[in-house]
Amino acid sequence: MTDIDKIKALIDANDTSEAIVLLDGLIDACPDCDELYFLRGNAYRKHNDWKHAMSDYCKAAELNPDSPAVAAYRAASRILDFYNKDLYNP
């Protein structure tokens, strides 16, 4: 099992803290790999750390405009921008 496969398995198992630590080390070694930023963004998102998730999605998209991080960023933006005025004005 490669490091990437192990990280994906950790994220799927909701062990996001360990996945983030492993990704931090890999990103330090290979800062130009968009897939690592995308995966760390996914881990942060599952950890409900939207600020860091969005930042990593942006970095991945900057490195590779065809990255799946572009779609992930748009989806996360729609989630964060959701506003239902009925919830605030009963």
Side-chain angles (χ1 to χ4, degrees):
M1 178 182 279
T2 67
D3 287 339
I4 299 289
D5 292 335
K6 180 180 179 182
I7 289 167
K8 288 178 180 178
L10 288 169
I11 293 170
D12 289 342
N14 289 324
D15 192 354
T16 56
S17 296
E18 185 176 346
I20 290 168
V21 169
L22 291 173
L23 284 161
D24 287 344
L26 290 174
I27 287 171
D28 286 342
C30 185
D32 293 332
C33 181
D34 64 285
E35 183 180 14
L36 297 176
Y37 289 99
F38 172 66
L39 289 172
R40 192 171 67 176
N42 288 343
Y44 277 129
R45 180 185 46 80
K46 281 190 113 174
H47 197 69
N48 285 322
D49 185 344
W50 291 94
K51 176 185 171 190
H52 286 107
M54 298 296 277
S55 177
D56 279 347
Y57 290 150
C58 282
K59 181 64 177 178
E62 177 185 313
L63 292 170
N64 177 9
D66 295 325
S67 169
V70 174
Y73 181 85
R74 283 191 206 124
S77 291
R78 282 189 293 256
I79 290 168
L80 294 173
D81 288 342
F82 177 74
Y83 173 71
N84 184 345
K85 64 183 177 182
D86 294 335
L87 294 176
Y88 297 106
N89 299 313

